[in-house]
Amino acid sequence: MAREIAVFVGENGSTAALEEVGKVVVYRRQQGKWQSVSETAFQLDRTSGMAGVRQQLTAMIELVAPCRVFVARTVSGLMYKELEQAGFSIWEFDGRPIEFLEYVLIQEEIAARQPAPLKAVTPAVVETGPGCYQVSLKELQQNGTGMTSKQVLQPLLNGNFYLVEVLCSHIPPWLEADWACGKFDCKAERLADGVKLIIKKQSCG
């Protein structure tokens, strides 16, 4: 990753809130030292409304490119949203850049090495007939992300159903317990790649 960090600095040399008068300084780490490579005076003019603020932020973002790490004392509201949408990692620090640049760089490098989070899984519930449903929990159980089996099935089992067909890698323990207690009629069929459950009650309501 590029070892550049943009910092919004006030007149006293410390970070300032982005609403204040200051300058955007881009620092680059070279040969173990942080050096200023560019400085741009910046003061938001709010008299032109939100559209004008967006234009000013867009111009500032273009000036600090390709840097995508931004530090200020505070960043809020529309300014935070615009920076985030532009792909910036946003940090809030109160102090002089030399006090936190190395820390921010290390944390950014650690984050860059983390594996991408698995995509959340939300199983589709298919209505196959009046009061009859079919759902597969296999992807949810295998990936361990997104909703839990209980979050998927309980709304169906607590609702107006006649039959629910569930494909799963294994029978969820909470469901097995409800089955043992006689809360509903359940049949399990072992498949080559998992289990098919037929959960049934005698009438709707």
Side-chain angles (χ1 to χ4, degrees):
M1 61 176 291
R3 296 191 163 195
E4 291 187 351
I5 298 174
V7 185
F8 188 61
V9 180
E11 295 178 352
N12 62 356
S14 293
T15 52
L18 205 47
E19 298 89 344
E20 300 172 352
V21 179
K23 59 185 177 182
V24 180
V25 183
V26 176
Y27 293 91
R28 179 181 297 155
R29 196 176 192 276
Q30 295 176 316
Q31 297 179 343
K33 295 182 179 180
W34 288 97
Q35 298 177 357
S36 168
V37 293
S38 71
E39 294 187 9
T40 306
F42 185 76
Q43 180 180 6
L44 276 177
D45 179 7
R46 293 182 175 275
T47 59
S48 53
M50 290 180 64
V53 170
R54 283 197 179 96
Q55 289 177 352
Q56 294 169 66
L57 289 170
T58 298
M60 182 198 74
I61 288 167
E62 290 175 353
L63 285 171
V64 302
C67 176
R68 281 295 180 269
V69 181
F70 191 91
V71 185
R73 192 172 78 240
T74 58
V75 186
S76 58
L78 178 62
M79 292 169 286
Y80 190 100
K81 181 181 177 182
E82 291 295 312
L83 286 166
E84 187 177 48
Q85 288 182 342
F88 276 86
S89 177
I90 304 163
W91 293 77
E92 293 184 333
F93 273 98
D94 186 3
R96 296 181 178 275
I98 196 64
E99 297 169 355
F100 56 74
L101 286 171
E102 194 70 17
Y103 173 81
V104 172
L105 176 65
I106 291 170
Q107 294 305 311
E108 288 288 326
E109 290 181 337
I110 290 173
R113 291 195 294 268
Q114 297 300 314
L118 292 171
K119 185 179 179 181
V121 176
T122 304
V125 177
V126 179
E127 187 170 7
T128 57
C132 298
Y133 303 91
Q134 186 180 68
V135 61
S136 175
L137 301 178
K138 290 170 70 174
E139 188 179 356
L140 179 151
Q141 290 177 324
Q142 288 164 5
N143 290 343
T145 60
M147 301 175 72
T148 65
S149 61
K150 204 167 191 177
Q151 288 173 317
V152 175
L153 291 180
Q154 272 200 334
L156 290 175
L157 302 181
N158 292 337
N160 217 24
F161 83 97
Y162 170 69
L163 180 148
V164 179
E165 181 180 309
V166 182
L167 297 175
C168 50
S169 300
H170 58 272
I171 303 174
W174 68 269
L175 183 59
E176 205 162 16
D178 284 356
W179 178 8
C181 290
K183 287 190 176 181
F184 39 70
D185 180 21
C186 186
K187 292 181 180 179
E189 180 185 344
R190 297 289 171 182
L191 306 175
D193 58 349
V195 182
K196 180 167 76 172
L197 297 174
I198 302 295
I199 304 170
K200 190 176 180 181
K201 64 181 180 181
Q202 296 303 314
S203 60
C204 295

